[in-house]
Amino acid sequence: MHHLINVRLPDPLIASPKNNFWSIQINDDQKIESIIPMSRNTGISGKDWKGDFLSPRGVDLQINGGLGLSFTKINFKDINRLFELLDRLWKDGVEAISPTFVTCHLDQLRLGLSVLREARKHHVENRCELLGAHLEGPFLSREFIGAHDINYLISPSLYELEERIKGFEDEIALVTLAPELPGSHKLIKRLRNLGIVVALGHSACDGKIAELAFQNGVKMLTHAFNAMHGIHHRLPGPITKALLNKNIFLGLIADGVHIHPDVAVLMQKLASRQLVLVSDAISPYGLEDGRYVWDNRLVISKNGSCTLEDGTLAGSNLPLLEGAQKLAYWSGERGAAIWSATIAPREVLETVNNPIHEYFLGRPLSKLLRWETNKVNNQLFWQTAA
């Protein structure tokens, strides 16, 4: 048994004391046995982390594919390629993902859900886990369609929902929809009764509709600012209403393109506990910059972001934890940035918020991450904690 001392844990409070250090007790099985504030353990000696952060691996609630593979187009022949992508994600510090299906044909969606269900049966240690899927569509606004295929948009109805999810209710974690569309509130109720998280996204709704959606069970904004009304001083929209409601999470793509760094920092200052970093990565993730086929269309991958040929943003090829590094560099708030990529996404999927200790106790250091700061360029970087 031994101790790690002067360890920091992710903290969403950007004004939290900078001397908030912890002592970590490691048992003979190399698992964390206890976490105690250093102020109560002034006499304990151990390996000094000198203020480095300890965190779980990342969880990505919005990732559309990678290594040339698109979840929206996946079939059973792609399972080995899927495992390669999951192995790559583990190496990139990601413990679990909610594979995201953008708007697509009904048959393709159900095929994809079948493939993922089969793939989950073959999960192995030290490989990124497949959580329930994220259905980003098809109940979206035509006004804010973004890079989705308009040919597959559907008006909300319980019939259309059941056509897509019947038999896969336990395979879905999250659904993004536009709450202003007639019939959407019946879908929200149905999804919440199934234990599926509902997010507002690709929506033209105003503040009143957003607030009603939050009251009815919507829990998150999908990639805040993108594909929705922004903040206006006379017309409060979904972002303003979410910021005023501390129970609503805000997904954010921290690539510096989808959201300007200054806006990302502002969001962190206003709602650090609510901020959830997502990659929104698509098929070119893990590949070099270039031109790739995605969703039967050509996308151009360059400098971390992907666009259609007409310039429409179509996602990113940015690793999730690189987004946390960027946000930490922009704001100087390392603990809050780490929180947004590792703890906050877990809270989205949970019914209650766990104490911070619960994310560490009983876990081996080999499954966790250590975050240090480069003294030369002040950049945050991570490695396996063991």
Side-chain angles (χ1 to χ4, degrees):
M1 185 175 296
H2 63 281
H3 290 83
L4 308 176
I5 61 173
N6 293 323
V7 178
R8 289 179 180 164
L9 302 180
D11 192 334
L13 303 178
I14 60 177
S16 61
K18 302 303 179 184
N19 59 349
N20 191 13
F21 297 124
W22 301 82
S23 169
I24 312 291
Q25 182 173 300
I26 311 296
N27 64 24
D28 293 336
D29 292 326
Q30 302 305 306
K31 296 180 179 180
I32 294 178
E33 189 164 291
S34 68
I35 302 177
I36 303 173
M38 285 294 295
S39 58
R40 302 181 194 170
N41 289 282
T42 53
I44 287 184
S45 60
K47 184 177 180 180
D48 192 348
W49 272 34
K50 300 179 180 179
D52 289 346
F53 286 87
L54 177 70
S55 84
R57 288 172 173 265
V59 172
D60 198 344
L61 299 182
Q62 188 175 4
I63 174 171
N64 308 276
L67 298 182
L69 184 67
S70 173
F71 295 132
T72 304
K73 301 293 292 182
I74 200 168
N75 60 60
F76 283 100
K77 295 179 181 179
D78 295 321
I79 285 186
N80 286 335
R81 292 177 63 200
L82 173 59
F83 292 155
E84 290 177 11
L85 173 58
L86 296 175
D87 289 339
R88 170 60 185 265
L89 286 163
W90 180 267
K91 292 178 181 178
D92 286 345
V94 178
E95 181 173 317
I97 62 169
S98 187
T100 302
F101 290 84
V102 296
T103 304
C104 63
H105 191 278
L106 166 63
D107 293 341
Q108 182 59 55
L109 172 62
R110 293 184 63 83
L111 172 60
L113 291 172
S114 297
V115 173
L116 294 178
R117 178 159 59 192
E118 178 63 27
R120 288 189 189 95
K121 298 177 184 178
H122 304 282
H123 178 68
V124 297
E125 193 173 4
N126 296 332
R127 170 180 289 168
C128 182
E129 179 183 358
L130 288 168
L131 304 174
H134 175 180
L135 308 190
E136 189 183 355
F139 311 112
L140 307 178
S141 166
R142 289 176 177 267
E143 184 179 348
F144 285 92
I145 189 174
H148 287 243
D149 190 333
I150 196 169
N151 295 307
Y152 295 122
L153 291 186
I154 298 293
S155 297
S157 74
L158 290 175
Y159 172 79
E160 294 291 356
L161 177 66
E162 293 302 317
E163 281 281 282
R164 283 154 179 78
I165 71 170
K166 187 174 180 59
F168 294 105
E169 293 87 349
D170 295 335
E171 310 295 328
I172 300 167
L174 179 65
V175 171
T176 293
L177 52 73
E180 75 277 11
L181 299 178
S184 63
H185 288 286
K186 290 183 180 179
L187 268 63
I188 294 170
K189 182 178 180 180
R190 171 62 175 154
L191 291 166
R192 294 306 300 128
N193 286 341
L194 290 171
I196 296 171
V197 175
V198 185
L200 182 160
H202 290 272
S203 166
C205 76
D206 60 17
K208 290 183 179 179
I209 294 176
E211 189 168 30
L212 179 61
F214 298 153
Q215 292 172 1
N216 287 340
V218 168
K219 191 175 182 180
M220 183 177 174
L221 298 189
T222 294
H223 46 50
F225 283 98
N226 296 116
M228 65 184 64
H229 290 298
I231 295 177
H232 190 282
H233 59 291
R234 293 194 187 96
L235 300 171
I239 300 169
T240 301
K241 290 298 182 179
L243 290 170
L244 292 173
N245 186 330
K246 300 304 181 184
N247 296 316
I248 305 301
F249 291 93
L250 298 106
L252 191 78
I253 307 168
D255 61 355
V257 177
H258 283 79
I259 299 291
H260 190 280
D262 290 348
V263 177
V265 172
L266 177 62
M267 294 293 284
Q268 189 187 57
K269 289 183 180 297
L270 293 174
S272 57
R273 189 177 191 92
Q274 299 164 250
L275 210 60
V276 180
L277 293 182
V278 297
S279 71
D280 199 24
I282 65 174
S283 54
Y285 172 84
L287 303 176
E288 295 181 355
D289 285 355
R291 302 165 76 89
Y292 298 93
V293 174
W294 172 74
D295 188 24
N296 295 324
R297 292 172 289 177
L298 192 68
V299 293
I300 301 168
S301 174
K302 185 177 180 181
N303 297 330
S305 294
C306 299
T307 61
L308 299 179
E309 289 186 284
D310 64 2
T312 301
L313 279 172
S316 80
N317 61 11
L318 182 80
L320 175 68
L321 298 190
E322 189 172 328
Q325 292 168 299
K326 285 178 176 288
L327 181 58
Y329 182 73
W330 297 335
S331 70
E333 296 291 346
R334 293 170 292 162
I338 297 169
W339 172 279
S340 292
T342 61
I343 303 295
R346 287 172 163 86
E347 291 196 339
V348 172
L349 300 180
E350 293 168 355
T351 55
V352 295
N353 293 342
N354 294 317
I356 187 67
H357 298 174
E358 295 298 320
Y359 297 105
F360 299 94
L361 294 178
R363 304 201 66 186
L365 284 179
S366 61
K367 307 291 186 184
L368 304 173
L369 302 179
R370 178 177 182 171
W371 300 76
E372 304 174 58
T373 302
N374 188 307
K375 302 298 190 295
V376 177
N377 58 18
N378 205 34
Q379 295 273 8
L380 188 68
F381 67 96
W382 62 269
Q383 59 185 328
T384 301

